Amino acid sequence: MRFAALLPLIFLVPACAQIQKPVASAAPGAVAPVEKSKVARGTLTGLEKHFDNELSRIGGTDHVDLLGLTRGLYLNDYGVVFTAEVSLIETPSVTPFRPVITDEVKKQVHQRKLEHLPLLEKAMREMVQNTAMTFGAAGERLNVLAPNTQFVLAVRILYLPWENTAGLPGQIIMRADLKGALEGKIQEEIQ
């Protein structure tokens, strides 16, 4: 009887024991260890929160709908990349109280999204410039950023299946090197 009570515990013992994986050797074809990032994670976290705040304020009371938190990462020998997902407005959806989206509502949604598009593009340009200023000042002082360091902000724009997406992009990418970003020379790619 005691053995029957201990039986489930015996099966849990292996779950606590982890087998240590062997360390990779320096054999030909082995992957080199990853270099430690030159940029503190806290810097990226602060900018992520700032971007979330800026994106959610676009459009004032008819604001952009932030669909996920901004993600940022620093890639050694490349630069900084941030991504976000938004809807250009808080798009109405089908509910038990609104089982059908009328043609009039569809037209209004499309028009409002077209009006918000230039606001999003302007905010993204400012975010790339602010990121370059943040990293540029610290990078020069700490000698961690090269002049060709890239600053990229990519925003995916999501739509509901019933929406008219004519004239609306699925993604906007703003990109500049350190000097270009500081001078406002930011490349825009709309997909």
Side-chain angles (χ1 to χ4, degrees), residues 164-186:
N164 173 7
T165 58
L168 295 169
Q171 180 170 272
I172 300 173
I173 301 170
M174 299 282 178
R175 171 185 335 199
D177 62 13
L178 180 57
K179 183 179 178 199
L182 294 174
E183 294 174 356
K185 297 177 182 172
I186 299 167

Side-chain angles (χ1 to χ4, degrees), residues 23-175:
V23 177
S25 65
V31 176
V34 176
E35 182 181 333
K36 184 179 180 209
S37 177
K38 298 175 185 177
V39 175
R41 179 70 198 140
T43 303
L44 294 174
T45 302
L47 284 167
E48 289 169 343
K49 289 177 183 176
H50 176 71
F51 286 0
D52 288 342
N53 188 33
E54 291 298 310
L55 289 169
S56 63
R57 290 188 348 200
I58 296 170
T61 56
D62 186 24
H63 59 86
V64 165
D65 191 9
L66 189 61
L67 300 175
L69 299 177
T70 300
R71 304 272 188 231
L73 55 102
Y74 176 79
L75 302 169
N76 288 331
D77 301 324
Y78 180 76
V80 186
V81 179
F82 290 93
T83 63
E85 291 184 335
V86 302
S87 174
L88 290 168
I89 62 168
E90 285 190 31
T91 309
S93 60
V94 174
T95 68
F97 303 104
R98 185 186 315 129
V100 175
I101 303 295
T102 65
D103 289 341
E104 183 59 32
V105 170
K106 289 177 185 179
K107 287 178 188 174
Q108 290 172 358
V109 165
H110 186 255
Q111 184 59 40
R112 288 169 49 210
K113 288 191 175 196
L114 286 172
E115 291 168 2
H116 280 169
L117 189 56
L119 301 175
L120 174 62
E121 291 171 321
K122 180 179 184 276
M124 288 177 67
R125 286 183 178 284
E126 290 171 359
M127 287 185 241
V128 170
Q129 273 190 305
N130 290 340
T131 303
M133 286 189 274
T134 299
F135 279 92
E140 286 179 19
R141 191 174 62 248
L142 302 173
N143 196 27
V144 296
L145 295 182
N148 63 344
T149 297
Q150 297 293 306
F151 296 91
V152 180
L153 174 58
V155 175
R156 287 186 59 207
I157 304 169
L158 303 179
Y159 303 96
L160 294 176
W162 57 262
E163 287 188 68
N164 173 7
T165 58
L168 295 169
Q171 180 170 272
I172 300 173
I173 301 170
M174 299 282 178
R175 171 185 335 199

